[in-house]
Amino acid sequence: MDNNQRVIGYWISEKKKQKFNWEDFQNVCAKNGFELKMINVNANLESQGPFHVFLHKLTDTLALAESGDQNARAIITRIQGYIRKHPELIVIDPLENVRNLRNRHKSYEIIHNGIQLKDVFTPNFVELKSKYVSENLTLLITNNVKFPFLCKRLVAHGCSDAHKKCFQMMVIFNEKGLKDCQLPCVAQNFVNHNAILYKVFIVGEKFHVVERPSLKNFYQKDCESLNTIFFNSQDISKSGSNSKWSVISDEEAALRVKPNFKTFEKIVKRITKIFGLVLVGVDVVIENHTERYAIIDINAFPGYDGYPHFFDHLVNTIEKLMADQKSSKQNSRSAGIKKWPSDDLDSGFESDEKKKQSMT
Ligand SMILES: O=P(O)(O)O[C@@H]1[C@@H](OP(=O)(O)O)[C@H](OP(=O)(O)O)[C@H](O)[C@H](OP(=O)(O)O)[C@H]1OP(=O)(O)O
Ligand SMILES: Nc1ncnc2c1ncn2[C@@H]1O[C@H](COP(=O)(O)OP(=O)(O)O)[C@@H](O)[C@H]1O
Ligand SMILES: [Mg+2]
Ligand SMILES: [Mg+2]
């Protein structure tokens, strides 16, 4: 190996690697003077290095580790140890920041407290865990969550269930349906949005928005007549999804509004800043009538399906993080302080004013 070559060590699942056409990434890296090296997370990392960058999607392993799985714990401990020992390593993304997305309630709370944009919100939500329907009803009322609402599994990822049961969600229409909530869950107000979801795929300071199918509108009369709808979240908003729960009338479709680029730009700035993530996806729907933007889901290192030049943007972002690190090291050397991106949520990014986001 050329001693000057910069090495990106990575770990992502075989399935994800195939979806991404990883060979193309290898070529883009080589063109830009990076070696791409798969890390064996089950073995000592020191002997596999040195690495300049660590790129990963370890959401499932993090979730397993938190649920007590010994092998997953060993992997996370090994990786954390390596990161700690190599403070110069650029980690995409820091494990503690990715961990913030594991619990949906926690990530909604972070958005609710941090987004602070007048035309953007996260629908009212509350965590339900009681086996007593009456207790849950009280919580819903106290937190202003109304029928219909979505019942979402509390843990956002880490689905190793072969039957994909963990992707099951419910739309609950009335008190009778409360017994259908699978606990623990987050109940979140249903936002009517004419069945269009916007997937905002972010790569550092760049982003790209794709339109996807979503759930239909529900009205007051539905709360009187409908039983709980159970659906698999994976069947609703993939490109090419064609669920019966996405069908709306021509009149409703005619009311769809053109999304505003500037609003997405503002969302991207805030989300990357408050979560401290480089690779992140935001699911947004535009509320009928008010035209406010509702953030309904945040995903670490999502699929990026439909994102043009993803690998180029990723490599450019890595270059930028390396350059920022170099200059902040020089600055702190002169100021006598040490500052490193993963210690602070603003890290790796310029100030809002200076930052120039672009929609690809
Ligand atoms: O399977 P893909 O390519 O659609 O990507 C999934 C994402 O779909 P999206 O790109 O947003 O349409 C998906 O996003 P949603 O939660 O479906 O909105 C998740 O990010 C999923 O990762 P995880 O299982 O939650 O850790 C992602 O799964 P992995 O590819 O990371 O396994
Ligand atoms: N608050 C909401 N109002 C209306 N529809 C929603 C809401 N939350 C989720 N949905 C619909 O349910 C789908 C799955 O929900 P989401 O929170 O994105 O879960 P997942 O992490 O499984 O993608 C979304 O793609 C969207 O179609
Ligand atoms: Mg989603
Ligand atoms: Mg999700």
Side-chain angles (χ1 to χ4, degrees):
M1 187 186 88
D2 168 3
N3 275 344
N4 290 323
Q5 184 142 36
R6 299 163 305 171
V7 184
I8 302 174
Y10 73 90
W11 190 90
I12 62 169
S13 70
E14 207 44 52
K15 188 185 103 211
K16 198 165 177 79
K17 218 166 132 181
Q18 278 173 14
K19 264 192 276 185
F20 267 98
N21 208 354
W22 212 239
E23 253 172 49
D24 288 353
F25 187 35
Q26 195 107 30
N27 295 335
V28 173
C29 285
K31 239 182 6 209
N32 289 278
F34 285 100
E35 187 194 351
L36 193 59
K37 206 168 163 185
M38 165 106 158
I39 291 179
N40 176 0
V41 290
N42 291 303
N44 180 289
L45 298 193
E46 209 59 62
S47 54
Q48 300 176 59
F51 303 110
H52 301 90
V53 178
F54 175 46
L55 173 69
H56 69 91
K57 168 115 186 194
L58 282 165
T59 43
D60 282 10
T61 314
L62 280 166
L64 280 172
E66 276 182 48
S67 66
D69 182 283
Q70 287 307 318
N71 185 42
R73 278 193 175 178
I75 291 171
I76 297 301
T77 306
R78 189 173 300 121
I79 291 170
Q80 271 170 334
Y82 185 83
I83 295 172
R84 220 170 286 129
K85 211 164 145 207
H86 297 275
E88 310 268 284
L89 183 73
I90 288 175
V91 184
I92 299 174
D93 276 301
L95 302 190
E96 59 278 19
N97 298 356
V98 173
R99 227 180 247 128
N100 281 332
L101 303 188
R102 179 177 170 264
N103 178 309
R104 286 188 202 268
H105 185 267
K106 184 171 178 185
S107 54
Y108 292 143
E109 239 171 17
I110 296 174
I111 303 166
H112 179 76
N113 296 330
I115 201 77
Q116 291 170 356
L117 294 168
K118 121 173 145 336
D119 44 356
V120 181
F121 70 111
T122 190
N124 293 350
F125 59 95
V126 64
E127 182 179 338
L128 302 181
K129 48 188 169 205
S130 170
K131 59 180 181 186
Y132 300 108
V133 164
S134 59
E135 276 180 24
N136 290 335
L137 185 60
T138 308
L139 276 175
L140 290 166
I141 295 167
T142 322
N143 289 277
N144 216 6
V145 176
K146 304 208 161 104
F147 297 112
F149 66 81
L150 263 295
C151 172
K152 304 184 183 185
R153 187 173 169 262
L154 187 61
V155 177
H157 42 240
C159 181
S160 45
D161 180 336
H163 304 289
K164 303 277 178 213
K165 271 205 210 104
C166 57
F167 293 123
Q168 274 257 305
M169 290 199 179
M170 299 110 224
V171 186
I172 311 272
F173 291 95
N174 41 50
E175 285 188 29
K176 216 173 77 207
L178 283 182
K179 62 172 184 350
D180 298 325
C181 288
Q182 283 166 18
L183 306 171
C185 72
V186 181
Q188 181 184 57
N189 269 352
F190 190 95
V191 172
N192 277 342
H193 56 279
N194 290 327
I196 292 285
L197 174 87
Y198 296 94
K199 288 237 160 226
V200 184
F201 290 131
I202 304 175
V203 183
E205 296 182 353
K206 304 266 190 207
F207 69 97
H208 180 78
V209 182
V210 300
E211 222 178 271
R212 293 270 180 89
S214 187
L215 292 175
K216 70 197 277 292
N217 302 321
F218 293 107
Y219 301 102
Q220 197 46 48
K221 66 174 177 6
D222 297 319
C223 292
E224 285 142 31
S225 61
L226 286 184
N227 292 326
T228 299
I229 293 173
F230 293 82
F231 65 96
N232 191 324
S233 90
Q234 298 284 293
D235 297 335
I236 300 295
S237 297
K238 295 291 164 197
S239 71
S241 291
N242 196 8
S243 161
K244 64 175 177 182
W245 298 118
S246 298
V247 180
I248 58 170
S249 69
D250 292 345
E251 291 76 32
E252 288 173 307
L255 294 172
R256 284 176 180 153
V257 294
K258 194 170 168 286
N260 184 336
F261 166 76
K262 288 266 172 234
T263 309
F264 286 132
E265 203 172 37
K266 285 191 276 183
I267 291 173
V268 170
K269 278 189 187 177
R270 289 293 161 99
I271 290 293
T272 49
K273 194 166 171 178
I274 59 184
F275 285 98
L277 295 166
V278 166
L279 294 181
V280 59
V282 190
D283 289 355
V284 176
V285 297
I286 304 180
E287 186 175 48
N288 291 352
H289 310 298
T290 69
E291 293 181 22
R292 291 191 309 154
Y293 288 58
I295 297 179
I296 53 145
D297 187 26
I298 304 268
N299 301 299
F301 201 160
Y304 291 97
D305 191 8
Y307 188 118
H309 311 296
F310 170 73
F311 293 138
D312 294 294
H313 287 190
L314 179 51
V315 169
N316 291 344
T317 302
I318 290 172
E319 294 270 19
K320 182 167 188 321
L321 288 170
M322 286 181 135
D324 286 353
Q325 185 193 39
K326 207 164 153 194
S327 70
S328 82
K329 216 160 94 186
Q330 275 158 359
N331 290 344
S332 58
R333 215 179 278 132
S334 49
I337 47 158
K338 187 173 182 305
K339 188 172 182 293
W340 169 243
S342 57
D343 292 342
D344 133 22
L345 288 182
D346 279 338
S347 56
F349 300 90
E350 296 168 10
S351 70
D352 273 1
E353 299 71 46
K354 276 204 289 175
K355 205 178 351 174
K356 191 172 179 317
Q357 305 280 353
S358 80
M359 196 174 192
T360 57

